[in-house]
Amino acid sequence: MTMDELKRQAATRALEAVRDGMKLGLGTGSTAKHFVELLGEKVRAGMKVIGVPTSEATRADAMRCGIALTTLDDVDRLDLTVDGADEIDPRLDLIKGGGGALLREKIVAAASYRMIVIADDSKWVSALGRFPLPVEVIPFGLAATRRAMAEVFAKCGVSGQMVIRKGTDGHVFVTDGGHWIVDAHLGRIQDASRLAGLLSATPGVVEHGLFIGLASTAILAGRQGIRVIERD
Ligand code: 5RP
């Protein structure tokens, strides 16, 4: 089975949690895209849901699939968000942002009663940090922000290269919010919760890819089958 087939399997299982009338957060990335496509099939078969997309790419996909869309200004809390991740640890803390949509993804996840994270099982790790941590920053004063980030990393016992993300065209990658992303190659993060708090308090940092305590369920598809893990 290919990686893409595993992603689709995880998305298919997540669809079982969707009920008629739900308000849904729609994630970003190749795994979330499977979920949006499968949800579109349900909608075309008569299911009524309304979605809040976490990126312009997902907005376009959802519209193409015929899914009705709204914004967080027009609805109260969302019933469920389904999104992918770059890393998932045993507490169901995550690294997200490989696709550059971490800011909207976190706002949408935090506005949801429940977040299901879907992935192929290569995303499961014993500790976060092998995947470079995406940090969304304001371009203004970037050198100062990077120095402050390095101090935060040192306080948390991690260090590593900080790379400004480039797009496939070789230019600086610009997020949907007009910001840049610094990918921090930290290695094993001992205390992700502390690092998350300190990064959030750093001027110039708009958001970071540590999703602490947001996911309630992980659906991991592997060659041996599907594992559903609930947060304690
Ligand atoms: C986008 C994300 C994605 O969910 C994450 O990068 C996983 O993507 P994929 O499903 O393509 O592996 O956080 O910002």
Side-chain angles (χ1 to χ4, degrees), residues 7 27-33 83-86 95-102 105 118-120 123 131 165 211:
K7 291 176 182 188
T28 294
S30 56
T31 318
K33 189 180 169 94
D83 202 349
D86 301 299
I95 285 185
K96 285 186 51 56
L102 63 143
E105 287 173 335
I118 53 176
D120 67 80
K123 306 289 182 70
F131 190 90
R165 191 180 297 183
F211 281 47

Side-chain angles (χ1 to χ4, degrees), residues 83-103:
D83 202 349
D86 301 299
E87 282 188 348
I88 307 166
D89 79 3
R91 302 161 65 104
L92 302 195
D93 290 337
L94 316 172
I95 285 185
K96 285 186 51 56
L102 63 143
L103 174 58

